[in-house]
Amino acid sequence: MSMELDVFVGNTTIMDMEVYQLWLDGLTVSDAVKVRMDEGALLECEANAEVLTSDTMDQFRTFQMCERLLHSPTKLGSQLLYQIPAQNQRILIERYYEFDSVFAREVLGKKLSKGTKKDLDDISCKTGITLKSCRRQFDNFKRVFKVVEELKGPLVENIQRHFLLSDTLARDYAAIVFFANSRFETGKRKLQYLSFQDFAFCAGQLISYWTVGAVDSMMEDMDVDLEKEFLHELKDLKVLVNDKDMMDQHKILVCAALRGKIKVYKLMEVNFKNLSRALINLASKLTHTKDVRDLFIDLVEKFIEPCRYDRWTVAEITLFLTHYTNAAHCLGTFRYQMIWDRYMGVIKSCILQMYHE
Amino acid sequence: MPGKLKAKIVAGRHLPVMDRASDLTDAFVEVKFGNTTFKTDVFPKSLNPQWNSEWFKFEVDDEDLQDEPLQITVLDHDTYSANDAIGKVYIDIDPLLSCEAATVISGWFPIYDTIHGIRGEINVLVKVDLFNDLNRFRQSSCGVKFFCTTSIPRCYRVALVHGFVEELVVNEDPEYQWIDRIRTPRASNEARQRLISLMSGELQRKIGLKVLEMGGNAVVGYLQCFDLEGESGLVVRAIGTACTLDKLSPGTAPNTTTHTNTHTLPNTAPASNACNSPSKDSKEPVFSEDPPHPLSGPPTPLRTLPSSSPPPFSPSKPCSRQSSSSDTDLSLTPRIGMGSGGSVGKEAGPLKTLLRQHTQSALEQREFPIFTLTCFPPGFLVHVGGVVSTRSVKLLDRIHNPDEPETRDAWWEEIRQEIKSHAKALGCHAVVGYSESTSICEEVCILSASGTAAMLNPRFMREGCLDTGGSDHRLSRQPHPGMVGSERGEGEVSSTWLGFEDASPPSCGFVHIPYDEFNMPFPAQLTYCYHCRRQKVPDVLFTTIDLPAEAEVTGKGCLIQARLCRTKKKAQGEVNATSISNLLPFMEYELHTQLMNKLKLRSMNALFGLRIQISVGENMLLGLASATGVYLSALPAPGGIQIAGKTPSDLSYDQHISTMQKRIDDTIAKNKELYNIHPPKLFTLDPEAFTGLNTECIEEVVGSPIPDRQRSSRLFRSTSESSDELSELDLSHGKKDAFVLEIDDTDAVEDIQSLLTDAPIPAGFYSCNTEVMPGIYNWTSGLQMFTSVRVYRLSNANLTNQGLNKIFTDLCENLLKSLYFKLRSMIPCCLCHLNFTVAVPEEELIQVAVTAVAMSFDKETQQAADKALTRGSGENEEQLQFSMELCGESTISNNQPTAKPSGVPESAMVHSSRVSSSERCSPLPEGRSRSLRSTRSLPCGAPVTVVKMTPLSFLPGTRIVKYLGIINMFFIRETTSLREEGGVSGFLHSFIAEVFAMVRAHVAALGGNALVSYSMKECVFMENPNKNQAQCLINVSGDAVIFIRESDQEAIPPLLSSRQTSSTGADGTT
């Protein structure tokens, strides 16, 4: 005797969110049944293995049928096929678009193309995430990217409107889209210690302060690209290292403010010019796409690593960068206050996020 | 007379991509009614076209309006080749033809294609201008309301019950026409869908005509079925109960509210509506030509004229009376069904015999004194005899002339006659809870009919305009004052009895035997009623109806199933039919024995909602009997089951038997605990809570003749006959003194096995196949209707009967287990209206389909409610009346503030504020999350209306304010890429989901937010995995309604308020 057909259809679609997670994790039906058994599902309702298998199969089929709708979440709310309470709809969408940050870290900054998709089995091996789940996550990245790429207006809001995601998740996606678009270098060995959340934070900063949308929300342009004009103006900051007087005065001001306040004062005093030069050079180079891509590796190599070598604490770096930024305002001849603040604000918060003691 | 049908195509959304090159679609729409077709413009290159068309107007006969559906086809324009069809929408215009139903159809409909399923949605607006039709010689029957509900619909009250209506239409099945060989599967499916839609429209119109002819205005318990007879044709048949219904005017609606929202209360005896019921002037103007109501000359709703000539409704007709309906009837039975006040109770009443005479005379002149209702207005049902059923095996041959469906008509006529005569044998003049079904395999067809023999109150047949008593009288366990009359009127009642009676009015009338005690139609053990002590009752009662509201039940009920599988040799024609009809009586007998055993094992004494289905396959017969077992307090406690061996010499054998016996006894004890069945005597231990039952014990002391409680069982008569002149079988084993199972008997071993292998229901679950579970009162709004289908392949062809039985039983048990597991999040919950359908679609395949609704209830308040109830039953009538009114007021006042803010007056709700009303009515989780959704801008417009579906006639905690019309839909789905669609399971899963979606869309478009009395009457699944093909046909029906939710606030306080009001009520009278 064998079961030829076995279906259960409710007027309100029944969805077990625990099973949903197993499905999202890319488990096969039999693996999912095993997991559920281990979690004690058999104790409920006097179930047996047969019942559990039937239920799991049915749930998996339901999710599979809904998957098409999840690709355009706004449809889920207006479609008539499945009556799903709005509460559940939200959970369905949110969970479907949730991703493993380990996976996201691997893909970050890579081109979301077929080529990358082929590498997914490597990533699957490396991260221990099932290939099926990797594919779903990758396809989600790609789908979101494709939809918002050409859209005008704030990136996060665009993602939220089209994919009905929560604020946090939409911000993470914004970071992924931003990185994929600008193709920032994140794969170098020296950057390996940085987590997805570190990069996501930096991306948030860049989106908030360095894009066109950041200055003028009325501008009908995209959040995805950094503002060209701003990057160009950054060249003007070179005066801080090229003008020797200004550099010296800057150093004096910073040293005065920090004396006795940080342990690494001595080292700071010695290294000030190097550090300052590193930050300013970085700014002036950003007109080249290649250098924009290398933003993070440069930050690490030119600033974070030296500091770490000298065993700065986060608090010390915070103090240094604060005074370093403020001191520039006191330089009488320095005219680029606005750009300076816009630049240093982001750089400071990025460095602080990326500096792991 | 003509009417004008207007349709407007507004927009489409989510259309499929029809042009691969551009990933877009150039869609346009064809709107067709009858032979007229209109087209919209092409809306180029869009998946969300906005046609916003003009109003397409069709001027048509109302006859066509009833028969034809509006057909909307969405196509993709193609300049060079033929236009591709995207899909279709069929809209039944019927709900727009009755002025009491919907006024406009407007909404998003899924665009359906029989090959691809749902492909996008289309927004349509449909209206009808119907010219007032005064011609009574017409062929149309617009305005007659149809209800699938098998009780008097809420928000109506019954003025008259006219009786049985039936009709049958036959046609050739397009699937078997020669043209089918050359047309595409899509064209063939569409032809079939369209034909069936036409046929059911015609059928409904014809039934409507019959109703008008009888002087009614509605059909209740409308049951329409399809017989796919294959080569020999397609039969669409329907039965129903013609009634004259009065709509309760909005002013009286709060009255109904009282009953709905306080159904947990014992005090709100719905029957008391008789006094504060709405006046008769609430009639709708359209029916003003109908015979004037009650008292002013009752018309006898008999079919006096041949159906071929519909008589004009002359005003003289109401005055013409049948000789039998004398005035004495009115004077003699003033209290029957109306005795709402205790004051009338003390008068001497008519004798039982007299009563019988009346009802008989009124009923017997009808062709068929048959009613499809399963739930009745209080006082309607006087006595219940038992189940009557008939089966007949027929050989199908081609229907030669579709216009003369006489053969099929004659078959059913024969069966109904037989049912009628069976009822007569049980001393009953009517059959209630009646239904008909067929099972077809190749050219053999089993026609089955079953019902419950009963004595009815004749007042309803003429003018007893009793109220239905609001919506939930079934939920109230309170004894009905309305029932009092029939029993209280007995001449033999002494004054001492009357004293007791005031304290606890008998609610037991319906279980009293209708037949003559000394001339019983079958051997039975009679005892005096455990409730009133005056009338004889049987020891076991089987019925097909729902549990009457007035019935007193001890403990809770449960689903009881008997399952049986019998192999049969493959044969052709006559031989096959004979062998089947030879098997039938044995199957009935065994199913019956199983039911009886299982009933006893659960320590119960009555079955309600009994439904026995026998399905025929090529090489086997399947029998499935489902019913809800209960312990009726008025019937004697059932004896246990004793096992006896034939060879008592063997010691180990004895031991075996005694262990068996012990297991059975243990199970019985366990079940008693599980279902909370404690015979009334135990109740006296708690005098405070069970005062009402105290009287019973006093009675016993008084010394009424209580017969010994015997360990015996009576078999009710299950008459089974086949057309092949089988001698009638006496199935009873009531002659045996004790209920003994002989273990040597292989059948008995099997019985015991099946008895003891029935898996226990997981904690927190209850199940029944009736509308609601006796013993559960405080439902929450948690509701989940579902359909589950399973098909098993029997791998081994040489299975024995026993092996087959085991497989079949396991199949059903596992299915139930899966359901419990699936619905575990709803615990505590009850699966209501569990409806199993079995079929043998192919050799070695068994298909089981289940449709039911899971309803959760509140556990905490349950016990309190139980207490309140028992307590309430002890109150006397005056108190009840009084507290009733108080309750009513308090709930009204409670109701007002919650209902007002929404600002949806009843009339407005239908039109503009549809969404808001439905949203408001949506259950909590949905309602709560609504705010979340609204904060976001959805590009695709307004959120989808939540539509609830239930096989029950009501939704707990809500009030149905309007019936919008019947939904009756037939769909075919076919695939040639079965594997790609996820195999058979994937295919059927999505098809059922699609059917639900289309039903919901139609309900929503009518302005409704729920479908009640939903049923899936047909689910025929065929597959051919080798060809990667499958086909499925589904037929669903139900009543579209608008409900409004009683506020949550009210759902809890009634318990408290009930106590308060009842106590104040007592104060007031003492």
Side-chain angles (χ1 to χ4, degrees), chain B residues 505-529:
Chain B
S507 56
C508 50
F510 78 97
V511 297
H512 298 168
I513 52 163
Y515 34 83
D516 190 352
E517 181 182 344
F518 301 107
N519 188 14
M520 283 197 290
F522 49 83
Q525 295 285 340
L526 297 184
T527 52
Y528 277 99
C529 173

Coordinates of all heavy atoms in Angstrom, one line a residue, chain B residues 505-529:
Chain B
P505 N -39.3 21.6 32.6 CA -40.1 21.3 31.5 C -39.5 20.2 30.6 O -38.3 20.2 30.5 CB -40.3 22.6 30.7 CG -39.1 23.4 31.0 CD -38.7 23.0 32.4
P506 N -40.2 19.2 30.2 CA -39.6 18.1 29.5 C -39.0 18.6 28.1 O -39.6 19.4 27.4 CB -40.7 17.2 29.2 CG -42.0 18.0 29.3 CD -41.7 19.1 30.3
S507 N -37.8 18.1 27.9 CA -37.1 18.5 26.7 C -36.9 17.2 25.9 O -36.1 17.1 25.0 CB -35.8 19.1 27.0 OG -35.1 18.2 27.8
C508 N -37.7 16.2 26.3 CA -37.4 14.9 25.8 C -38.4 14.4 24.8 O -38.3 13.3 24.4 CB -37.4 13.9 27.0 SG -38.9 14.1 28.0
G509 N -39.3 15.3 24.4 CA -40.4 14.8 23.5 C -39.9 14.1 22.3 O -40.5 13.1 21.9
F510 N -38.9 14.6 21.7 CA -38.5 14.0 20.4 C -38.0 12.6 20.5 O -37.9 11.9 19.5 CB -37.5 14.9 19.7 CG -36.1 14.8 20.2 CD1 -35.2 14.0 19.5 CD2 -35.7 15.5 21.3 CE1 -33.9 13.9 20.0 CE2 -34.4 15.4 21.7 CZ -33.5 14.6 21.1
V511 N -37.5 12.2 21.7 CA -37.0 10.8 21.8 C -38.1 9.8 22.1 O -37.9 8.6 22.0 CB -35.9 10.6 22.8 CG1 -34.7 11.5 22.5 CG2 -36.4 11.0 24.2
H512 N -39.3 10.3 22.4 CA -40.4 9.4 22.7 C -40.8 8.6 21.4 O -40.8 9.2 20.4 CB -41.6 10.1 23.3 CG -41.3 10.8 24.6 ND1 -42.1 11.7 25.2 CD2 -40.2 10.6 25.4 CE1 -41.5 12.1 26.3 NE2 -40.4 11.5 26.5
I513 N -41.1 7.3 21.6 CA -41.4 6.6 20.4 C -42.6 7.0 19.7 O -43.6 7.3 20.3 CB -41.5 5.1 20.7 CG1 -42.5 4.8 21.8 CG2 -40.1 4.5 21.1 CD1 -42.9 3.4 21.9
P514 N -42.6 7.1 18.4 CA -43.8 7.5 17.6 C -44.6 6.3 17.3 O -45.8 6.5 17.0 CB -43.2 8.1 16.4 CG -41.9 7.5 16.2 CD -41.4 7.0 17.5
Y515 N -44.1 5.1 17.4 CA -44.8 4.0 17.0 C -45.6 3.4 18.2 O -45.4 3.8 19.3 CB -43.9 2.9 16.4 CG -42.5 2.9 17.0 CD1 -42.3 2.1 18.1 CD2 -41.5 3.6 16.4 CE1 -41.1 2.1 18.7 CE2 -40.2 3.5 17.0 CZ -40.0 2.8 18.1 OH -38.8 2.8 18.7
D516 N -46.4 2.4 17.9 CA -47.2 1.8 18.9 C -46.4 0.9 19.8 O -45.7 0.0 19.2 CB -48.4 1.1 18.3 CG -49.4 0.7 19.3 OD1 -49.1 0.8 20.5 OD2 -50.5 0.2 18.9
E517 N -46.5 1.0 21.0 CA -45.7 0.2 21.9 C -46.0 -1.3 21.8 O -45.1 -2.1 22.0 CB -46.0 0.7 23.4 CG -45.2 0.1 24.4 CD -45.6 0.6 25.8 OE1 -46.3 1.7 25.8 OE2 -45.4 0.0 26.8
F518 N -47.2 -1.6 21.6 CA -47.6 -3.0 21.6 C -47.6 -3.6 20.2 O -47.8 -4.7 20.0 CB -49.0 -3.2 22.2 CG -49.1 -2.6 23.6 CD1 -49.7 -1.4 23.8 CD2 -48.4 -3.3 24.6 CE1 -49.7 -0.9 25.1 CE2 -48.5 -2.8 25.9 CZ -49.1 -1.6 26.2
N519 N -47.2 -2.7 19.3 CA -47.2 -3.2 17.9 C -46.0 -2.7 17.2 O -46.0 -1.9 16.3 CB -48.5 -2.8 17.2 CG -48.6 -3.4 15.8 OD1 -47.9 -4.4 15.5 ND2 -49.4 -2.9 15.0
M520 N -44.9 -3.0 17.8 CA -43.6 -2.4 17.4 C -43.2 -2.9 16.0 O -43.4 -4.1 15.7 CB -42.5 -2.6 18.4 CG -42.7 -1.7 19.6 SD -41.2 -1.7 20.5 CE -41.1 -3.3 21.2
P521 N -42.7 -2.0 15.2 CA -42.2 -2.4 13.9 C -41.0 -3.3 13.9 O -40.7 -4.0 13.0 CB -41.9 -1.1 13.2 CG -41.6 -0.1 14.3 CD -42.5 -0.6 15.4
F522 N -40.3 -3.3 15.0 CA -39.2 -4.2 15.2 C -38.9 -4.4 16.6 O -39.4 -3.6 17.5 CB -37.9 -3.5 14.5 CG -37.8 -2.1 15.0 CD1 -37.1 -1.8 16.2 CD2 -38.3 -1.1 14.2 CE1 -37.0 -0.5 16.6 CE2 -38.1 0.2 14.6 CZ -37.5 0.5 15.8
P523 N -38.2 -5.4 17.0 CA -38.0 -5.7 18.4 C -37.1 -4.6 19.0 O -36.1 -4.3 18.5 CB -37.3 -7.1 18.4 CG -37.1 -7.5 17.0 CD -37.5 -6.4 16.1
A524 N -37.5 -4.1 20.1 CA -36.7 -3.1 20.8 C -37.0 -3.1 22.3 O -38.1 -3.6 22.7 CB -37.1 -1.7 20.2
Q525 N -36.1 -2.6 23.0 CA -36.2 -2.5 24.4 C -36.7 -1.2 24.8 O -36.1 -0.2 24.5 CB -34.9 -2.7 25.1 CG -34.3 -4.1 25.0 CD -35.0 -5.1 25.8 OE1 -35.7 -4.8 26.8 NE2 -34.9 -6.4 25.4
L526 N -37.9 -1.1 25.3 CA -38.5 0.2 25.6 C -38.4 0.4 27.1 O -38.5 -0.5 27.9 CB -39.9 0.3 25.2 CG -40.1 0.2 23.7 CD1 -41.6 0.4 23.3 CD2 -39.3 1.2 22.9
T527 N -38.1 1.6 27.5 CA -38.2 2.0 28.9 C -38.9 3.3 29.0 O -39.2 3.9 28.0 CB -36.8 2.2 29.5 OG1 -36.1 3.1 28.6 CG2 -36.0 0.9 29.5
Y528 N -39.2 3.6 30.2 CA -39.8 4.9 30.4 C -38.8 6.0 30.3 O -37.6 5.8 30.7 CB -40.5 5.0 31.8 CG -41.9 4.4 31.7 CD1 -42.2 3.2 32.1 CD2 -43.0 5.2 31.1 CE1 -43.4 2.6 32.0 CE2 -44.2 4.6 31.0 CZ -44.5 3.4 31.5 OH -45.7 2.8 31.4
C529 N -39.1 7.1 29.7 CA -38.2 8.2 29.5 C -37.5 8.6 30.8 O -38.2 8.7 31.8 CB -39.0 9.4 28.9 SG -38.0 10.8 28.8

